[in-house]
């Protein structure tokens, strides 16, 4: 009696119902059990064809190689991520400019967002989103000329002062025909930490904002003027 793949899977599933979590895919151990069961229960008068056996062994070999390759890739990605984080530690304490639109509202106000206007823009609106991606304020901007402009939100809307925390800005730019025009944006701040999120190296800025390492466009040494003033005051 030959054991088909369907029969084997059905028996495995029945056993899993007795207490184990059902499997959604075959692993290499399952493949070997299936092959062994098929050989043990084959009809002596009609043994399994050699060609079919070789094909199954080839599939098993491919499965082994793919499993090893996936494991190697996962380990390599983890190692690369750790290396990137280690290298990015050098950014801590430095001022960076990076693509983004995150805004932090603190006791001293809101961090600015820099937006670049291309040629042909007629109107621009800045939509401010809270942490739940809900629009909490919309500001019509006067800076519509070509070039870089700065938007600093006042932290309020028609209902009054909004709580401190993390916000983001989305720019809606249109030309004279009402067609949407893409506007780029950047943020700036001092790096306070480095993390890895979903395989990406992320820099933490003052106020809890974050930017991706790959989005950095400029790095500056921190200003030493304040330190020099402090030293002179203490002398």
């Amino acid at each position: 009696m030959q054991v088909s793949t369907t029969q084997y899977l059905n028996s495995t599933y029945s056993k899993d119902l007795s207490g184990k979590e059902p499997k959604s895919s075959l692993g290499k151990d399952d493949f070997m059990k299936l092959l062994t069961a098929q050989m043990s229960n084959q009809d002596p008068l009609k043994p399994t064809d050699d060609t079919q056996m070789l094909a199954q062994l080839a599939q098993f070999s491919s499965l082994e190689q793919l499993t090893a390759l996936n494991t190697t890739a996962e380990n390599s990605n983890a190692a690369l991520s750790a290396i990137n984080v280690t290298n990015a530690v050098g950014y801590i304490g430095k001022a960076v400019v990076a693509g983004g639109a995150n805004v932090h509202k603190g006791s001293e106000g809101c961090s600015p967002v820099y937006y670049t206007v291309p040629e042909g823009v007629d109107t621009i609106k800045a939509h401010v989103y809270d942490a739940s991606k809900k629009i909490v304020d919309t500001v019509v901007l006067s800076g519509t000329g070509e070039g870089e402009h700065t938007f600093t939100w006042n932290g309020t809307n028609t209902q009054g002062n909004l709580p401190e925390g993390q916000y983001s800005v989305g720019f809606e730019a249109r030309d004279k025909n009402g067609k949407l025009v893409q506007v780029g944006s950047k943020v700036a701040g001092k790096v306070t930490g480095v993390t890895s999120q979903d395989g990406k190296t992320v820099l933490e800025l003052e106020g809890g904002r974050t930017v991706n390492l790959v989005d950095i466009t400029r790095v500056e040494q921190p200003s030493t003027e304040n330190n020099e003033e402090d030293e002179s005051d203490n002398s």
Side-chain angles (χ1 to χ4, degrees), residues 71-87:
T71 302
T72 302
E74 291 175 359
N75 293 338
S76 298
N77 289 336
L80 182 60
S81 178
I83 292 174
N84 288 337
V85 170
T86 302
N87 292 338

Side-chain angles (χ1 to χ4, degrees), residues 103-146:
V103 171
H104 171 69
K105 181 185 178 184
S107 58
E108 298 181 357
C110 299
S111 58
V113 177
Y114 308 96
Y115 63 99
T116 303
V117 180
E119 183 180 3
V121 172
D122 185 53
T123 61
I124 299 180
K125 295 179 181 179
H127 301 293
V128 181
Y129 300 82
D130 62 13
S132 63
K133 304 302 180 183
K134 177 183 177 182
I135 295 179
V136 295
D137 193 25
T138 296
V139 181
V140 178
L141 304 179
S142 58
T144 60
E146 183 178 359

Side-chain angles (χ1 to χ4, degrees), residues 25-42:
S25 61
L26 284 175
K28 61 180 182 179
D29 292 336
D30 295 315
F31 190 93
M32 284 301 297
K33 289 178 181 178
L34 175 60
L35 186 60
T36 302
Q38 184 176 359
M39 294 176 62
S40 301
N41 294 279
Q42 65 181 336

Side-chain angles (χ1 to χ4, degrees), residues 90-104:
Y91 286 96
I92 295 178
K94 295 183 179 180
V96 299
V97 177
N102 295 330
V103 171
H104 171 69

Side-chain angles (χ1 to χ4, degrees), residues 45-234:
L45 300 179
K46 297 177 62 178
T48 304
D49 182 68
D50 291 342
T51 302
Q52 182 181 357
M53 180 71 68
L54 291 174
Q56 291 175 334
L57 290 174
Q59 290 177 359
F60 174 70
S61 177
S62 298
L63 177 63
E64 278 278 335
Q65 293 175 5
L66 287 174
T67 301
L69 183 61
N70 288 336
T71 302
T72 302
E74 291 175 359
N75 293 338
S76 298
N77 289 336
L80 182 60
S81 178
I83 292 174
N84 288 337
V85 170
T86 302
N87 292 338
V89 169
Y91 286 96
I92 295 178
K94 295 183 179 180
V96 299
V97 177
N102 295 330
V103 171
H104 171 69
K105 181 185 178 184
S107 58
E108 298 181 357
C110 299
S111 58
V113 177
Y114 308 96
Y115 63 99
T116 303
V117 180
E119 183 180 3
V121 172
D122 185 53
T123 61
I124 299 180
K125 295 179 181 179
H127 301 293
V128 181
Y129 300 82
D130 62 13
S132 63
K133 304 302 180 183
K134 177 183 177 182
I135 295 179
V136 295
D137 193 25
T138 296
V139 181
V140 178
L141 304 179
S142 58
T144 60
E146 183 178 359
E148 186 173 88
H149 302 266
T150 302
F151 169 64
T152 304
W153 183 45
N154 61 12
T156 66
N157 60 12
T158 56
Q159 297 180 349
N161 193 37
L162 293 175
E164 296 181 6
Q166 302 302 317
Y167 296 85
S168 60
V169 180
F171 294 96
E172 179 188 344
R174 297 182 181 273
D175 61 17
K176 293 182 178 180
N177 298 319
K179 184 178 179 180
L180 286 172
V181 179
Q182 186 174 1
V183 171
S185 61
K186 298 178 181 179
V187 296
K190 185 178 179 180
V191 179
T192 59
V194 182
T195 61
S196 179
Q197 300 177 7
D198 298 327
K200 297 180 180 180
T201 303
V202 177
L203 303 184
E204 299 173 346
L205 306 183
E206 291 176 313
R209 294 173 298 155
T210 59
V211 295
N212 291 328
L213 177 63
V214 296
D215 293 332
I216 291 179
T217 58
R218 188 168 74 245
V219 180
E220 299 175 351
Q221 291 290 346
S223 174
T224 59
E225 293 181 1
N226 293 334
N227 293 336
E228 292 175 353
E229 291 178 358
D230 293 339
E231 291 175 359
S232 62
D233 290 340
N234 293 329

